[in-house]
Amino acid sequence: MGILNVTPDSFSDGGLHEGTERAVAHGFTLAAQGADIVDVGGESTRPGAVPVPEEEELSRVLPVVRELSAGSVRVSIDTMHADVARAALRAGACMVNDVSGGLADSQMARVVAESGAPFVVMHWRAPSRSMHRHAGYGDVVAEVRDELCRRLDELSAQGVAREQLVLDPGLGFAKRPEHDWALLSHLDVFTGLGLPVLVGASRKSFLATVCATPHGGVPAGRDAATTAVSALAASAGAWGIRVHDVPANRDAVRVARAWHSPARRG
């Protein structure tokens, strides 16, 4: 899953792809580089980010979704807002990626259920502007698993089919670095729930704790660490990875696949 932020303030690439023309061009580049899905978002969810008006989010993402979808690119809409999800699905998006797992908007479950589209359900405790205050855990793996399972039950009760669901443990969202590493090292707990698992580690700050050079202090300096996580996540059974740098991470996934399936080598 290639990341396409049509925002001025995303933590890694805010402003780089702002505007329809630049965003669409980058979306086609991501697809050409090997992204199976291009994830289009119009509202930053970086720590401390504040919401944008829904009308502004729609104006950012809808033209991009339309043009990419018309060009045969599989598009996911990255949004917490039901009206944005509905409009993007009508414009050609084939998946909804909601970092709140439907908790931020009570109508999201209905939109997803009616559409039948795949729905990425991320572990979420609070909005970006205050999530750092909710990063307290006794056993982070067990608590994230249990909270995700409760959310799945709630979505099921609201009509969302189990086969629509993709799980995301929510790295960096109400998590400290030690929590993120624990979740990654126990990814089998989440793949063991029997649903596809998406891992979104790309360029996140927890990777700086293992970077060997000062470049780890900036998001783009964490790309090598990201590819290592991608290979390990693929080996652990992740369904997908959400990344900024598609070619390197595509290769990392292919290495993991070849490692486990000798017939695929060469």
Side-chain angles (χ1 to χ4, degrees):
M1 182 182 282
I3 298 169
L4 178 51
N5 291 317
V6 194
T7 59
D9 58 344
S10 291
F11 82 95
S12 174
D13 55 0
L16 287 180
H17 313 301
E18 196 176 6
T20 299
E21 186 175 348
R22 283 197 292 176
V24 169
H26 188 60
F28 280 121
T29 296
L30 291 171
Q33 290 173 336
D36 298 298
I37 302 168
V38 174
D39 194 39
V40 178
E43 180 180 57
S44 175
T45 54
R46 63 178 172 78
V50 297
V52 300
E54 200 167 281
E55 296 77 12
E56 184 174 350
E57 185 183 359
L58 284 165
S59 70
R60 291 174 179 179
V61 300
L62 284 186
V64 179
V65 171
R66 286 195 190 99
E67 290 202 39
L68 292 177
S69 299
S72 299
V73 174
R74 295 178 66 209
V75 174
S76 168
I77 181 64
D78 176 5
T79 185
M80 294 185 288
H81 306 293
D83 287 344
V84 175
R86 182 186 291 109
L89 289 165
R90 289 173 177 167
C94 64
M95 175 183 286
V96 177
N97 179 17
D98 182 349
V99 299
S100 80
L103 287 168
D105 188 330
S106 62
Q107 295 303 307
M108 183 64 85
R110 179 180 177 183
V111 169
V112 172
E114 291 177 348
S115 72
F119 183 45
V120 179
V121 181
M122 199 192 79
H123 176 262
W124 187 82
R125 283 185 165 181
S128 296
R129 62 185 178 272
S130 61
M131 64 182 177
H132 62 282
R133 297 200 296 267
H134 298 265
Y137 302 89
D139 181 336
V140 65
V141 176
E143 290 175 48
V144 169
R145 176 202 61 207
D146 291 348
E147 289 170 30
L148 273 175
C149 286
R150 284 197 295 273
R151 188 67 194 127
L152 296 180
D153 290 341
E154 292 164 358
L155 290 166
S156 178
Q158 295 175 78
V160 181
R162 184 175 175 84
E163 55 266 25
Q164 290 179 252
L165 301 172
V166 177
L167 302 182
D168 182 340
L171 303 176
F173 286 79
K175 318 282 191 313
R176 295 192 294 271
E178 62 269 25
H179 300 143
D180 296 322
W181 290 117
L183 291 168
L184 284 170
S185 65
H186 293 86
L187 204 60
D188 60 306
V189 169
F190 301 96
T191 59
L193 295 174
L195 293 172
V197 173
L198 177 68
V199 172
S202 189
R203 297 181 177 177
K204 289 186 175 177
S205 59
F206 78 94
L207 296 172
T209 63
V210 298
C211 288
T213 70
H215 298 300
V218 297
R222 303 165 195 154
D223 279 344
T226 298
T227 60
V229 169
S230 293
L232 292 167
S235 293
W239 164 84
I241 53 169
R242 183 179 181 275
V243 297
H244 298 84
D245 180 9
V246 168
N249 286 281
R250 177 201 59 194
D251 288 350
V253 169
R254 293 178 71 179
V255 166
R257 184 189 306 173
W259 189 286
H260 291 286
S261 305
R264 295 176 183 259
R265 297 174 189 161

